[in-house]
Amino acid sequence: FPVTIGALLGNGCSRQAGNKMWISSQDELVPKKVAEILGAKYVWRNSDKNYNWVISHGDRFKRGKGYKHSKVVECNYYKDWCKKRYSKDKKIDLDVVKTWNRRAQAELLAGLIDTDGSVSVSKAGNLLVQFTTTSESLAKGVEWLIYFLIQTKPCISSALRKGVMNYQICIQSNLFSRMLLKEISEFIVTSRKKYRAEFKVYRDWE
């Protein structure tokens, strides 16, 4: 299920050591979905002071063979694309992704949008789908996925902030934003980022 590696590329805390997966999220929706797909039974928020969630095969409340001694939570491509990497160093191997079928590619993009993406309406009434990242590889990967799925190139901008390059990929066309959301919504768990019927009212040429 490529949606899991997409979510971990977006918000995975990949420099954490141990046998667990860590992911940052405002709520439990994405962490629980990732855990379900990976077959991990236990998910909990690490602290009330941050938004980091732990995904584990072991129960943190169980003595003896609890989460510290449980088997490692594993995800395809995580070791090569995420593990021990800072956000700016995470990558998507497009040579691999291009061999996947369309559904798998849509899942990957959905996982990325579900974490580091946003869906909003501008003051001018345009439906916007955006993705932000500090990784040039992820930016290029998202650009390719969008172009492959809906045959249009998104707008791309970059800016240096606090010594780190930030990339923003954006679709500003109502027509293409709707097309993309229809393609990936079944794999997204965050309701505000899914396609909604109200989006039909936005005119195609804007």
Side-chain angles (χ1 to χ4, degrees), residues 40-58:
K41 294 182 179 180
Y42 303 97
V43 180
W44 65 88
R45 187 171 173 178
N46 184 54
S47 169
D48 291 337
K49 297 180 180 179
N50 59 48
Y51 292 101
N52 293 336
W53 294 75
V54 180
I55 298 171
S56 173
H57 286 299

Side-chain angles (χ1 to χ4, degrees), residues 71-200:
K71 67 179 182 179
V72 176
V73 179
E74 295 181 317
C75 175
N76 289 340
Y77 306 106
Y78 181 81
K79 182 178 179 180
D80 294 330
W81 297 4
C82 285
K83 191 174 182 179
K84 296 183 179 181
R85 295 175 181 266
Y86 290 104
S87 295
K88 65 182 180 66
D89 299 320
K90 290 180 180 180
K91 70 174 186 177
I92 292 175
D93 188 338
L94 280 177
D95 288 336
V96 172
V97 174
K98 288 177 181 179
T99 68
W100 296 354
N101 61 37
R102 185 184 185 91
R103 181 183 178 87
Q105 292 163 346
E107 281 194 45
L108 174 61
L109 183 58
L112 290 158
I113 296 295
D114 222 354
T115 49
D116 272 353
S118 65
V119 177
S120 61
V121 180
S122 71
K123 291 181 180 180
N126 290 329
L127 180 60
L128 308 177
V129 179
Q130 300 180 87
F131 177 80
T132 57
T133 182
T134 56
S135 165
E136 184 179 7
S137 176
L138 263 61
K140 289 181 177 179
V142 169
E143 177 189 17
W144 183 87
L145 286 164
I146 290 173
Y147 181 76
F148 178 81
L149 291 171
I150 61 172
Q151 297 299 296
T152 190
K153 279 198 170 185
C155 299
I156 302 176
S157 60
S158 59
L160 192 64
R161 296 174 188 155
K162 296 182 179 181
V164 178
M165 190 64 72
N166 285 254
Y167 303 89
Q168 183 181 75
I169 298 91
C170 180
I171 304 175
Q172 299 175 323
S173 159
N174 291 334
L175 172 63
F176 290 117
S177 290
R178 287 202 305 268
M179 287 174 62
L180 184 66
L181 291 177
K182 286 181 178 180
E183 184 89 32
I184 65 176
S185 278
E186 68 172 292
F187 311 115
I188 289 178
V189 297
T190 308
S191 58
R192 68 179 181 276
K193 298 180 183 182
K194 288 176 173 283
Y195 177 81
R196 301 193 295 274
E198 64 195 72
F199 293 157
K200 291 180 181 179

